[in-house]
Amino acid sequence: ANNTVKTAASSQTQGHNPRRGVGTAAMNRAILDHLHFTMARLPALASRNDWYMALSHAVRDRMLDDWLASLHHFRNKELKVVSYLSAEFLLGPHLGNNLINTGMWDAARDAVESLGLTLEDLLRQEEEPGLGNGGLGRLAACYLDSLATLRIPSIGYGIRYEFGIFDQLIRDGWQVETADKWLKFGNPWEICRSEIAYEVKMGGHTEYHHDADGRLAIAWLPVKVIKGVAYDTPIAGYRSRITGLLRLWKSEAVESFNFQAFNAGEYYHAVDEKVVSESITKVLYPNDEPGVGKLLRLAQQYFFVSCSLQDMIRVHLLRSPRLEEFDQTFAVQMNDTHPSLAVAELMRLLVDEHGLGWDAAWKVTRSTMAYTNHTLLPEALEKWPLQLFANLLPRHLEIVYEINRRFLDEVSQAYPGDQARLARMSLIEETGGKFVRMANLASVGSHAINGVAHLHTELLKETVLADFYQMTPGKFCNVTNGVTPRRWVLLSNPGLARLISESIGEEWVTAPEKLRKLERFASDPSFLSAWRWVKDANKRALAATILERTGVTVDPESLFDIQVKRIHEYKRQHLNLLHILTLYHRIKRDPGAQIPPRTFIFGGKAAPGYFMAKLIIKLINSVAEVVNTDPEVAGRLKVVFFPDFNVTNGQLIYPAADLSEQISTSGKEASGTGNMKFSLNGALTIGTLDGANVEIREEVGEENFFLFGLNATEVQALKKSGYHPGRFYEEDGELREAIDAVRSGLFSHGDAGLFQPLVDHLLYDDEYLALADYRSYLECQERVSTAFRQRELWSVKSVLNVARMGKFSSDRSIREYCEKIWKVPIRPPFPH
Ligand code: CR6
């Protein structure tokens, strides 16, 4: 990386700055040039993908000018760089977002039209990079947008998975997974940096010896060395003239061929090593709440953390030779525990490879690192079987032991004789098999620990990390999640964005607290009808896509009641189903019943190995089949499972919702971010007091939020006193009717056994208290129906929701990280 060739141009600090034209004519020229020189195509023979690629390259060129200027910050000693370590970045398609953020949308649209194409068609051509499972990965993507918008020097570090989250097909009502070959037609947004590459060791053992000066030296003799190559993607800030950097690592063999084997004629063996090395970044693990893991996943985590830290050290050494000052160059955020090996790896790099003493290394490690926790579910807290860890990372295990030894000394000094506490806080779990506890490692190695919503942080302090909180309360803080209004309103809901900007100006895009100005329009009938017109148009667009993808016709006039998110029992898609079944039975009992028409839309992927979640998908589709075709229902209820929920589909779905389902068991959803996207697009929420729902309700006002169910304290109390779901079943006739219908075979062509596991689980276990909240949910849904009948009042509530959602912009979250955790100054907004 230091082999820069000195030229006349390289002595100019800003380098060559060609500043490409962004007008229609210049864009038109650039697209044709790329079609010719990059895609090697004649216009007459070009496919839609060729045009998409040509346009994207033209847009990327224009982002590079700002990018090269931004990269310059990394050398400026005065500016601390935020390094966001995340195993997932769920970016969504780039083209539209980049056009919006750089302000090139109109020019691109006109240029494309002058070539006889439409921008819409080319936008549809993009295969989204699905490099994440759900909320956590999408949060990382929103944060990159905000970092660039707020002009904070930053790098997102992650993994360039060759296959992202699987594509979901629905066959006979079941989820079928297919490989996500997102790179198959090329990726115009990334730049491969073959020269930015690092070696990563794995396996083997360690040896100790004394060097020439008599000092103890440690050698790690690995069995394998893999190369990580940087692939960079520019991230446009919104009109900030800053382009942020996402650097993803791809694994490669250090040498593509084992020449010894090759010479011996064993051709296949010769490429083995290449295949194994490349497998590290092959595929994203499709679990959003991972349990005890697999060797390959640990290898992925170590691989990307090691490449990233080596890269940061290289950048730091460009500024200063003193690694004791590393924390002045970088603030490192660990997005959950997936990157928590960074604590041990930074220690290893500093001590073993750069000769720092342990204490100095520990001091700088701790003041650099910070940890965000994203879950309280005990089964989702990462821990690695000790033997597996030792086999892959023998040196890191020694380091973990040393960190632990010193840490437990501190614990016993603070709490003499408290053996139970020592056992709980240890980095090593020793009850029933030995494990390395990653949340403990991350907590000990960080100067700051945060949860992702107020309630979540409080529960974190009381439960999962209680011991750590008691010992070091000052480390803990909350940063409630946020979402970017650029992608989630400007791009996905242009009609709403236009109406808002026409009414209150455009400042809300970067200063969403200004949305409050909409409050006074909530009493303006013509504004309200324009508001409704926008929503109705979005609903019609979604209805058309539903018809195309599922064959189901839905009525855009009906209430669009939507639950899109990963399928998980704690999110309680089955509670939603129980409501649908109850309405169905009410209609069957009384075909004339006054039930305002509703369209229930579900979407979300189930982890391929999560049987119950997959059965829930099957049940949704089975109920849909019966309800949608029952003549007595007469179209009043429609049930739709929208296949392959992802960012692209989300952009169509959130803007079309009337009602947002946020119905998790209180205390289980750390924050949620879909809840924010819905409400920011004018949906009203039906929800429990869980995660960020609590704060959303506080902001929008309780009269504009449909609350039901047990709160987190009541959930804990009920569990403690002994929860018997069967009682709810026995005592509530409508609930019984709904469950009995499922087990009768009514929805499974008479096959009574099909849904038995789900029914049994509800009746005899119901870990997530669906039955306990059923009646309260039903009553709340009746309030929803009543409210929806008064369309004008509903629209007022919808406007007030949007007006009061400013807090949930990811810009606010990033500002809080800067102040509370990273100690990075916020620069004044860029004058547009
Ligand atoms: N699954 C939480 O469950 C939260 C996001 C982002 C999750 C969700 O409530 O909004 O993180 N947790 O903070 C994990 O991924 C471990 C999620 O997306």
Side-chain angles (χ1 to χ4, degrees), residues 88 133-137 139 288-290 335-336 338 372-375 377 380 452 481 566 570-571 668-676 691:
E88 303 186 7
N133 272 285
L136 171 141
L139 184 76
D288 68 336
E289 314 267 0
N335 197 26
D336 215 276
H338 319 147
T372 306
N373 173 289
H374 294 265
T375 184
L377 298 188
V452 290
N481 285 167
R566 287 301 286 252
Y570 85 77
K571 297 178 188 279
K668 299 295 178 190
E669 188 71 271
S671 161
T673 43
N675 46 4
M676 301 169 186

PDB file of all heavy atoms in Angstrom, residues 88 133-137 139 288-290 335-336 338 372-375 377 380 452 481 566 570-571 668-676 691, ligand 1:
ATOM      1  N   GLU A  88     -22.879  -7.836   8.712  1.00  0.00           N
ATOM      2  CA  GLU A  88     -23.970  -7.684   7.756  1.00  0.00           C
ATOM      3  C   GLU A  88     -24.180  -6.213   7.384  1.00  0.00           C
ATOM      4  O   GLU A  88     -24.149  -5.339   8.251  1.00  0.00           O
ATOM      5  CB  GLU A  88     -25.281  -8.219   8.367  1.00  0.00           C
ATOM      6  CG  GLU A  88     -25.192  -9.672   8.809  1.00  0.00           C
ATOM      7  CD  GLU A  88     -26.521 -10.247   9.279  1.00  0.00           C
ATOM      8  OE1 GLU A  88     -27.562  -9.565   9.150  1.00  0.00           O
ATOM      9  OE2 GLU A  88     -26.508 -11.387   9.785  1.00  0.00           O
ATOM     10  N   ASN A 133     -29.395 -10.274   7.190  1.00  0.00           N
ATOM     11  CA  ASN A 133     -30.589 -11.048   7.496  1.00  0.00           C
ATOM     12  C   ASN A 133     -31.829 -10.195   7.667  1.00  0.00           C
ATOM     13  O   ASN A 133     -32.909 -10.565   7.231  1.00  0.00           O
ATOM     14  CB  ASN A 133     -30.364 -11.821   8.793  1.00  0.00           C
ATOM     15  CG  ASN A 133     -29.731 -13.157   8.546  1.00  0.00           C
ATOM     16  OD1 ASN A 133     -30.395 -14.060   8.079  1.00  0.00           O
ATOM     17  ND2 ASN A 133     -28.447 -13.283   8.827  1.00  0.00           N
ATOM     18  N   GLY A 134     -31.658  -9.082   8.374  1.00  0.00           N
ATOM     19  CA  GLY A 134     -32.838  -8.293   8.710  1.00  0.00           C
ATOM     20  C   GLY A 134     -32.431  -6.984   9.355  1.00  0.00           C
ATOM     21  O   GLY A 134     -31.543  -6.278   8.841  1.00  0.00           O
ATOM     22  N   GLY A 135     -33.040  -6.712  10.492  1.00  0.00           N
ATOM     23  CA  GLY A 135     -32.883  -5.404  11.144  1.00  0.00           C
ATOM     24  C   GLY A 135     -31.448  -4.977  11.399  1.00  0.00           C
ATOM     25  O   GLY A 135     -31.072  -3.833  11.127  1.00  0.00           O
ATOM     26  N   LEU A 136     -30.648  -5.897  11.900  1.00  0.00           N
ATOM     27  CA  LEU A 136     -29.285  -5.526  12.269  1.00  0.00           C
ATOM     28  C   LEU A 136     -28.465  -5.076  11.056  1.00  0.00           C
ATOM     29  O   LEU A 136     -27.761  -4.065  11.100  1.00  0.00           O
ATOM     30  CB  LEU A 136     -28.633  -6.719  12.970  1.00  0.00           C
ATOM     31  CG  LEU A 136     -27.157  -6.675  13.270  1.00  0.00           C
ATOM     32  CD1 LEU A 136     -26.894  -7.285  14.631  1.00  0.00           C
ATOM     33  CD2 LEU A 136     -26.360  -7.429  12.221  1.00  0.00           C
ATOM     34  N   GLY A 137     -28.601  -5.809   9.963  1.00  0.00           N
ATOM     35  CA  GLY A 137     -27.857  -5.462   8.756  1.00  0.00           C
ATOM     36  C   GLY A 137     -28.396  -4.208   8.091  1.00  0.00           C
ATOM     37  O   GLY A 137     -27.654  -3.395   7.550  1.00  0.00           O
ATOM     38  N   LEU A 139     -29.882  -1.806   9.686  1.00  0.00           N
ATOM     39  CA  LEU A 139     -29.483  -0.690  10.558  1.00  0.00           C
ATOM     40  C   LEU A 139     -28.093  -0.203  10.157  1.00  0.00           C
ATOM     41  O   LEU A 139     -27.845   0.997  10.043  1.00  0.00           O
ATOM     42  CB  LEU A 139     -29.474  -1.147  12.021  1.00  0.00           C
ATOM     43  CG  LEU A 139     -29.159  -0.046  13.032  1.00  0.00           C
ATOM     44  CD1 LEU A 139     -30.375   0.851  13.226  1.00  0.00           C
ATOM     45  CD2 LEU A 139     -28.721  -0.623  14.375  1.00  0.00           C
ATOM     46  N   ASP A 288     -31.170 -14.909  11.807  1.00  0.00           N
ATOM     47  CA  ASP A 288     -31.054 -13.551  12.320  1.00  0.00           C
ATOM     48  C   ASP A 288     -30.787 -13.517  13.819  1.00  0.00           C
ATOM     49  O   ASP A 288     -30.419 -12.500  14.360  1.00  0.00           O
ATOM     50  CB  ASP A 288     -32.226 -12.654  11.902  1.00  0.00           C
ATOM     51  CG  ASP A 288     -33.537 -13.035  12.539  1.00  0.00           C
ATOM     52  OD1 ASP A 288     -33.676 -14.209  12.918  1.00  0.00           O
ATOM     53  OD2 ASP A 288     -34.400 -12.160  12.639  1.00  0.00           O
ATOM     54  N   GLU A 289     -30.963 -14.626  14.478  1.00  0.00           N
ATOM     55  CA  GLU A 289     -30.646 -14.675  15.907  1.00  0.00           C
ATOM     56  C   GLU A 289     -29.832 -15.944  16.132  1.00  0.00           C
ATOM     57  O   GLU A 289     -30.360 -16.954  16.570  1.00  0.00           O
ATOM     58  CB  GLU A 289     -31.922 -14.718  16.762  1.00  0.00           C
ATOM     59  CG  GLU A 289     -33.004 -13.716  16.350  1.00  0.00           C
ATOM     60  CD  GLU A 289     -32.920 -12.392  17.099  1.00  0.00           C
ATOM     61  OE1 GLU A 289     -32.022 -12.254  17.946  1.00  0.00           O
ATOM     62  OE2 GLU A 289     -33.742 -11.516  16.812  1.00  0.00           O
ATOM     63  N   PRO A 290     -28.547 -15.908  15.813  1.00  0.00           N
ATOM     64  CA  PRO A 290     -27.781 -17.148  15.734  1.00  0.00           C
ATOM     65  C   PRO A 290     -27.649 -17.883  17.068  1.00  0.00           C
ATOM     66  O   PRO A 290     -27.542 -17.256  18.118  1.00  0.00           O
ATOM     67  CB  PRO A 290     -26.416 -16.677  15.253  1.00  0.00           C
ATOM     68  CG  PRO A 290     -26.338 -15.251  15.677  1.00  0.00           C
ATOM     69  CD  PRO A 290     -27.730 -14.723  15.625  1.00  0.00           C
ATOM     70  N   ASN A 335     -20.911  -4.091  15.851  1.00  0.00           N
ATOM     71  CA  ASN A 335     -22.346  -4.260  15.649  1.00  0.00           C
ATOM     72  C   ASN A 335     -22.731  -5.666  16.113  1.00  0.00           C
ATOM     73  O   ASN A 335     -22.606  -6.628  15.378  1.00  0.00           O
ATOM     74  CB  ASN A 335     -22.685  -4.055  14.173  1.00  0.00           C
ATOM     75  CG  ASN A 335     -24.168  -3.813  13.930  1.00  0.00           C
ATOM     76  OD1 ASN A 335     -24.875  -3.322  14.825  1.00  0.00           O
ATOM     77  ND2 ASN A 335     -24.645  -4.134  12.747  1.00  0.00           N
ATOM     78  N   ASP A 336     -23.158  -5.752  17.347  1.00  0.00           N
ATOM     79  CA  ASP A 336     -23.414  -7.019  18.028  1.00  0.00           C
ATOM     80  C   ASP A 336     -22.092  -7.754  18.291  1.00  0.00           C
ATOM     81  O   ASP A 336     -21.008  -7.179  18.102  1.00  0.00           O
ATOM     82  CB  ASP A 336     -24.397  -7.885  17.231  1.00  0.00           C
ATOM     83  CG  ASP A 336     -25.304  -8.672  18.174  1.00  0.00           C
ATOM     84  OD1 ASP A 336     -24.905  -9.759  18.648  1.00  0.00           O
ATOM     85  OD2 ASP A 336     -26.389  -8.175  18.479  1.00  0.00           O
ATOM     86  N   HIS A 338     -20.868 -10.315  16.692  1.00  0.00           N
ATOM     87  CA  HIS A 338     -20.226 -10.977  15.537  1.00  0.00           C
ATOM     88  C   HIS A 338     -18.794 -10.509  15.325  1.00  0.00           C
ATOM     89  O   HIS A 338     -17.943 -11.321  14.972  1.00  0.00           O
ATOM     90  CB  HIS A 338     -21.061 -10.815  14.265  1.00  0.00           C
ATOM     91  CG  HIS A 338     -22.539 -10.978  14.478  1.00  0.00           C
ATOM     92  ND1 HIS A 338     -23.483 -10.291  13.777  1.00  0.00           N
ATOM     93  CD2 HIS A 338     -23.222 -11.743  15.369  1.00  0.00           C
ATOM     94  CE1 HIS A 338     -24.701 -10.611  14.207  1.00  0.00           C
ATOM     95  NE2 HIS A 338     -24.559 -11.493  15.177  1.00  0.00           N
ATOM     96  N   THR A 372     -22.335  -2.704  20.694  1.00  0.00           N
ATOM     97  CA  THR A 372     -23.791  -2.570  20.670  1.00  0.00           C
ATOM     98  C   THR A 372     -24.423  -3.947  20.801  1.00  0.00           C
ATOM     99  O   THR A 372     -24.098  -4.846  20.023  1.00  0.00           O
ATOM    100  CB  THR A 372     -24.275  -1.956  19.336  1.00  0.00           C
ATOM    101  OG1 THR A 372     -23.589  -0.737  19.108  1.00  0.00           O
ATOM    102  CG2 THR A 372     -25.772  -1.683  19.370  1.00  0.00           C
ATOM    103  N   ASN A 373     -25.292  -4.079  21.779  1.00  0.00           N
ATOM    104  CA  ASN A 373     -26.028  -5.338  21.930  1.00  0.00           C
ATOM    105  C   ASN A 373     -27.376  -5.210  21.217  1.00  0.00           C
ATOM    106  O   ASN A 373     -28.041  -4.186  21.338  1.00  0.00           O
ATOM    107  CB  ASN A 373     -26.232  -5.635  23.423  1.00  0.00           C
ATOM    108  CG  ASN A 373     -27.135  -6.819  23.641  1.00  0.00           C
ATOM    109  OD1 ASN A 373     -28.351  -6.762  23.404  1.00  0.00           O
ATOM    110  ND2 ASN A 373     -26.566  -7.925  24.075  1.00  0.00           N
ATOM    111  N   HIS A 374     -27.767  -6.246  20.486  1.00  0.00           N
ATOM    112  CA  HIS A 374     -29.024  -6.186  19.732  1.00  0.00           C
ATOM    113  C   HIS A 374     -30.031  -7.241  20.140  1.00  0.00           C
ATOM    114  O   HIS A 374     -31.033  -7.428  19.438  1.00  0.00           O
ATOM    115  CB  HIS A 374     -28.770  -6.352  18.235  1.00  0.00           C
ATOM    116  CG  HIS A 374     -27.994  -5.245  17.607  1.00  0.00           C
ATOM    117  ND1 HIS A 374     -28.587  -4.181  16.969  1.00  0.00           N
ATOM    118  CD2 HIS A 374     -26.663  -5.040  17.527  1.00  0.00           C
ATOM    119  CE1 HIS A 374     -27.653  -3.374  16.506  1.00  0.00           C
ATOM    120  NE2 HIS A 374     -26.472  -3.870  16.825  1.00  0.00           N
ATOM    121  N   THR A 375     -29.771  -7.974  21.181  1.00  0.00           N
ATOM    122  CA  THR A 375     -30.773  -8.984  21.558  1.00  0.00           C
ATOM    123  C   THR A 375     -30.643  -9.405  23.019  1.00  0.00           C
ATOM    124  O   THR A 375     -29.549  -9.419  23.572  1.00  0.00           O
ATOM    125  CB  THR A 375     -30.687 -10.236  20.667  1.00  0.00           C
ATOM    126  OG1 THR A 375     -31.740 -11.133  21.016  1.00  0.00           O
ATOM    127  CG2 THR A 375     -29.373 -10.973  20.836  1.00  0.00           C
ATOM    128  N   LEU A 377     -32.524 -12.281  23.765  1.00  0.00           N
ATOM    129  CA  LEU A 377     -32.893 -13.701  23.705  1.00  0.00           C
ATOM    130  C   LEU A 377     -31.677 -14.541  24.091  1.00  0.00           C
ATOM    131  O   LEU A 377     -30.634 -14.449  23.437  1.00  0.00           O
ATOM    132  CB  LEU A 377     -33.332 -14.091  22.293  1.00  0.00           C
ATOM    133  CG  LEU A 377     -34.574 -13.411  21.698  1.00  0.00           C
ATOM    134  CD1 LEU A 377     -34.950 -14.078  20.379  1.00  0.00           C
ATOM    135  CD2 LEU A 377     -35.752 -13.434  22.651  1.00  0.00           C
ATOM    136  N   ALA A 380     -29.788 -16.426  21.557  1.00  0.00           N
ATOM    137  CA  ALA A 380     -29.132 -15.674  20.492  1.00  0.00           C
ATOM    138  C   ALA A 380     -27.793 -15.090  20.931  1.00  0.00           C
ATOM    139  O   ALA A 380     -27.077 -14.498  20.140  1.00  0.00           O
ATOM    140  CB  ALA A 380     -30.052 -14.564  20.008  1.00  0.00           C
ATOM    141  N   VAL A 452     -30.315  -0.782  22.009  1.00  0.00           N
ATOM    142  CA  VAL A 452     -30.803  -0.117  20.807  1.00  0.00           C
ATOM    143  C   VAL A 452     -32.186   0.527  20.948  1.00  0.00           C
ATOM    144  O   VAL A 452     -32.751   1.015  19.978  1.00  0.00           O
ATOM    145  CB  VAL A 452     -30.771  -1.081  19.603  1.00  0.00           C
ATOM    146  CG1 VAL A 452     -29.332  -1.366  19.190  1.00  0.00           C
ATOM    147  CG2 VAL A 452     -31.496  -2.399  19.920  1.00  0.00           C
ATOM    148  N   ASN A 481     -32.318   3.081  17.980  1.00  0.00           N
ATOM    149  CA  ASN A 481     -32.128   2.932  16.532  1.00  0.00           C
ATOM    150  C   ASN A 481     -32.841   4.036  15.741  1.00  0.00           C
ATOM    151  O   ASN A 481     -33.726   4.713  16.249  1.00  0.00           O
ATOM    152  CB  ASN A 481     -32.710   1.592  16.065  1.00  0.00           C
ATOM    153  CG  ASN A 481     -31.853   0.396  16.447  1.00  0.00           C
ATOM    154  OD1 ASN A 481     -32.285  -0.747  16.357  1.00  0.00           O
ATOM    155  ND2 ASN A 481     -30.627   0.628  16.857  1.00  0.00           N
ATOM    156  N   ARG A 566     -38.781 -10.700   9.813  1.00  0.00           N
ATOM    157  CA  ARG A 566     -38.459 -12.118   9.886  1.00  0.00           C
ATOM    158  C   ARG A 566     -39.595 -12.874  10.568  1.00  0.00           C
ATOM    159  O   ARG A 566     -40.294 -12.324  11.415  1.00  0.00           O
ATOM    160  CB  ARG A 566     -37.142 -12.315  10.669  1.00  0.00           C
ATOM    161  CG  ARG A 566     -35.918 -11.885   9.908  1.00  0.00           C
ATOM    162  CD  ARG A 566     -35.746 -12.628   8.611  1.00  0.00           C
ATOM    163  NE  ARG A 566     -35.297 -13.990   8.838  1.00  0.00           N
ATOM    164  CZ  ARG A 566     -34.071 -14.430   8.562  1.00  0.00           C
ATOM    165  NH1 ARG A 566     -33.178 -13.621   8.020  1.00  0.00           N
ATOM    166  NH2 ARG A 566     -33.730 -15.670   8.796  1.00  0.00           N
ATOM    167  N   TYR A 570     -41.403 -15.124  18.514  1.00  0.00           N
ATOM    168  CA  TYR A 570     -41.519 -13.985  19.434  1.00  0.00           C
ATOM    169  C   TYR A 570     -42.168 -12.772  18.746  1.00  0.00           C
ATOM    170  O   TYR A 570     -42.739 -11.908  19.396  1.00  0.00           O
ATOM    171  CB  TYR A 570     -40.170 -13.627  20.074  1.00  0.00           C
ATOM    172  CG  TYR A 570     -39.256 -12.705  19.289  1.00  0.00           C
ATOM    173  CD1 TYR A 570     -39.490 -11.323  19.223  1.00  0.00           C
ATOM    174  CD2 TYR A 570     -38.111 -13.187  18.655  1.00  0.00           C
ATOM    175  CE1 TYR A 570     -38.638 -10.481  18.521  1.00  0.00           C
ATOM    176  CE2 TYR A 570     -37.253 -12.356  17.957  1.00  0.00           C
ATOM    177  CZ  TYR A 570     -37.532 -11.000  17.891  1.00  0.00           C
ATOM    178  OH  TYR A 570     -36.688 -10.181  17.196  1.00  0.00           O
ATOM    179  N   LYS A 571     -42.123 -12.750  17.426  1.00  0.00           N
ATOM    180  CA  LYS A 571     -42.761 -11.647  16.698  1.00  0.00           C
ATOM    181  C   LYS A 571     -44.260 -11.906  16.506  1.00  0.00           C
ATOM    182  O   LYS A 571     -45.013 -11.032  16.147  1.00  0.00           O
ATOM    183  CB  LYS A 571     -42.073 -11.432  15.354  1.00  0.00           C
ATOM    184  CG  LYS A 571     -40.589 -11.019  15.501  1.00  0.00           C
ATOM    185  CD  LYS A 571     -39.907 -10.868  14.154  1.00  0.00           C
ATOM    186  CE  LYS A 571     -38.407 -10.659  14.233  1.00  0.00           C
ATOM    187  NZ  LYS A 571     -38.021  -9.259  14.521  1.00  0.00           N
ATOM    188  N   LYS A 668     -39.039  -8.758  24.226  1.00  0.00           N
ATOM    189  CA  LYS A 668     -38.306  -9.648  23.324  1.00  0.00           C
ATOM    190  C   LYS A 668     -37.719  -8.940  22.103  1.00  0.00           C
ATOM    191  O   LYS A 668     -36.674  -9.339  21.600  1.00  0.00           O
ATOM    192  CB  LYS A 668     -39.222 -10.779  22.828  1.00  0.00           C
ATOM    193  CG  LYS A 668     -39.753 -11.666  23.930  1.00  0.00           C
ATOM    194  CD  LYS A 668     -38.630 -12.439  24.603  1.00  0.00           C
ATOM    195  CE  LYS A 668     -39.163 -13.304  25.740  1.00  0.00           C
ATOM    196  NZ  LYS A 668     -38.085 -13.874  26.562  1.00  0.00           N
ATOM    197  N   GLU A 669     -38.385  -7.931  21.600  1.00  0.00           N
ATOM    198  CA  GLU A 669     -37.877  -7.226  20.415  1.00  0.00           C
ATOM    199  C   GLU A 669     -36.974  -6.097  20.912  1.00  0.00           C
ATOM    200  O   GLU A 669     -37.435  -5.143  21.530  1.00  0.00           O
ATOM    201  CB  GLU A 669     -39.041  -6.661  19.613  1.00  0.00           C
ATOM    202  CG  GLU A 669     -38.655  -6.070  18.263  1.00  0.00           C
ATOM    203  CD  GLU A 669     -38.248  -7.142  17.256  1.00  0.00           C
ATOM    204  OE1 GLU A 669     -37.048  -7.480  17.221  1.00  0.00           O
ATOM    205  OE2 GLU A 669     -39.125  -7.640  16.529  1.00  0.00           O
ATOM    206  N   ALA A 670     -35.685  -6.211  20.602  1.00  0.00           N
ATOM    207  CA  ALA A 670     -34.756  -5.219  21.153  1.00  0.00           C
ATOM    208  C   ALA A 670     -35.181  -3.805  20.765  1.00  0.00           C
ATOM    209  O   ALA A 670     -35.256  -2.908  21.614  1.00  0.00           O
ATOM    210  CB  ALA A 670     -33.344  -5.517  20.672  1.00  0.00           C
ATOM    211  N   SER A 671     -35.440  -3.589  19.496  1.00  0.00           N
ATOM    212  CA  SER A 671     -35.897  -2.268  19.076  1.00  0.00           C
ATOM    213  C   SER A 671     -36.973  -2.390  18.006  1.00  0.00           C
ATOM    214  O   SER A 671     -38.094  -1.937  18.158  1.00  0.00           O
ATOM    215  CB  SER A 671     -34.716  -1.451  18.522  1.00  0.00           C
ATOM    216  OG  SER A 671     -35.181  -0.378  17.729  1.00  0.00           O
ATOM    217  N   GLY A 672     -36.592  -3.046  16.902  1.00  0.00           N
ATOM    218  CA  GLY A 672     -37.428  -2.988  15.716  1.00  0.00           C
ATOM    219  C   GLY A 672     -37.033  -1.734  14.951  1.00  0.00           C
ATOM    220  O   GLY A 672     -36.643  -0.720  15.544  1.00  0.00           O
ATOM    221  N   THR A 673     -37.091  -1.824  13.632  1.00  0.00           N
ATOM    222  CA  THR A 673     -36.855  -0.640  12.806  1.00  0.00           C
ATOM    223  C   THR A 673     -37.932  -0.561  11.724  1.00  0.00           C
ATOM    224  O   THR A 673     -38.226   0.517  11.230  1.00  0.00           O
ATOM    225  CB  THR A 673     -35.456  -0.668  12.152  1.00  0.00           C
ATOM    226  OG1 THR A 673     -35.217  -1.986  11.654  1.00  0.00           O
ATOM    227  CG2 THR A 673     -34.378  -0.292  13.145  1.00  0.00           C
ATOM    228  N   GLY A 674     -38.550  -1.697  11.423  1.00  0.00           N
ATOM    229  CA  GLY A 674     -39.701  -1.694  10.520  1.00  0.00           C
ATOM    230  C   GLY A 674     -40.804  -0.823  11.127  1.00  0.00           C
ATOM    231  O   GLY A 674     -41.472  -0.066  10.403  1.00  0.00           O
ATOM    232  N   ASN A 675     -40.973  -0.914  12.440  1.00  0.00           N
ATOM    233  CA  ASN A 675     -41.968  -0.072  13.123  1.00  0.00           C
ATOM    234  C   ASN A 675     -41.777   1.403  12.755  1.00  0.00           C
ATOM    235  O   ASN A 675     -42.738   2.143  12.538  1.00  0.00           O
ATOM    236  CB  ASN A 675     -41.923  -0.312  14.642  1.00  0.00           C
ATOM    237  CG  ASN A 675     -40.519  -0.320  15.239  1.00  0.00           C
ATOM    238  OD1 ASN A 675     -39.535  -0.069  14.520  1.00  0.00           O
ATOM    239  ND2 ASN A 675     -40.402  -0.621  16.531  1.00  0.00           N
ATOM    240  N   MET A 676     -40.498   1.824  12.666  1.00  0.00           N
ATOM    241  CA  MET A 676     -40.206   3.227  12.344  1.00  0.00           C
ATOM    242  C   MET A 676     -40.538   3.541  10.880  1.00  0.00           C
ATOM    243  O   MET A 676     -41.088   4.587  10.559  1.00  0.00           O
ATOM    244  CB  MET A 676     -38.726   3.513  12.602  1.00  0.00           C
ATOM    245  CG  MET A 676     -38.317   3.255  14.050  1.00  0.00           C
ATOM    246  SD  MET A 676     -36.530   3.298  14.277  1.00  0.00           S
ATOM    247  CE  MET A 676     -36.437   2.769  16.003  1.00  0.00           C
ATOM    248  N   GLY A 691     -39.542  -2.810  22.714  1.00  0.00           N
ATOM    249  CA  GLY A 691     -38.526  -2.172  21.887  1.00  0.00           C
ATOM    250  C   GLY A 691     -38.798  -0.694  21.691  1.00  0.00           C
ATOM    251  O   GLY A 691     -39.199   0.020  22.622  1.00  0.00           O
TER     252      GLY A 691
HETATM  253  N1  CR6 B   1     -32.980  -9.250  14.736  1.00  0.00           N
HETATM  254  C1  CR6 B   1     -33.287  -7.095  16.911  1.00  0.00           C
HETATM  255  O1  CR6 B   1     -34.002  -8.266  17.118  1.00  0.00           O
HETATM  256  C2  CR6 B   1     -33.368  -4.699  16.202  1.00  0.00           C
HETATM  257  C3  CR6 B   1     -32.212  -4.998  15.261  1.00  0.00           C
HETATM  258  C4  CR6 B   1     -31.315  -3.795  15.074  1.00  0.00           C
HETATM  259  C5  CR6 B   1     -32.090  -7.337  16.002  1.00  0.00           C
HETATM  260  C6  CR6 B   1     -34.182  -5.956  16.414  1.00  0.00           C
HETATM  261  O2  CR6 B   1     -35.182  -5.684  17.382  1.00  0.00           O
HETATM  262  O3  CR6 B   1     -34.152  -3.670  15.671  1.00  0.00           O
HETATM  263  O4  CR6 B   1     -31.416  -6.094  15.745  1.00  0.00           O
HETATM  264  N2  CR6 B   1     -31.185  -8.218  16.700  1.00  0.00           N
HETATM  265  O5  CR6 B   1     -30.903  -3.276  16.299  1.00  0.00           O
HETATM  266  C7  CR6 B   1     -30.204  -8.992  16.150  1.00  0.00           C
HETATM  267  O6  CR6 B   1     -30.010  -9.074  14.953  1.00  0.00           O
HETATM  268  C8  CR6 B   1     -29.337  -9.768  17.070  1.00  0.00           C
HETATM  269  C9  CR6 B   1     -32.527  -8.021  14.709  1.00  0.00           C
HETATM  270  O7  CR6 B   1     -32.488  -7.453  13.661  1.00  0.00           O
END
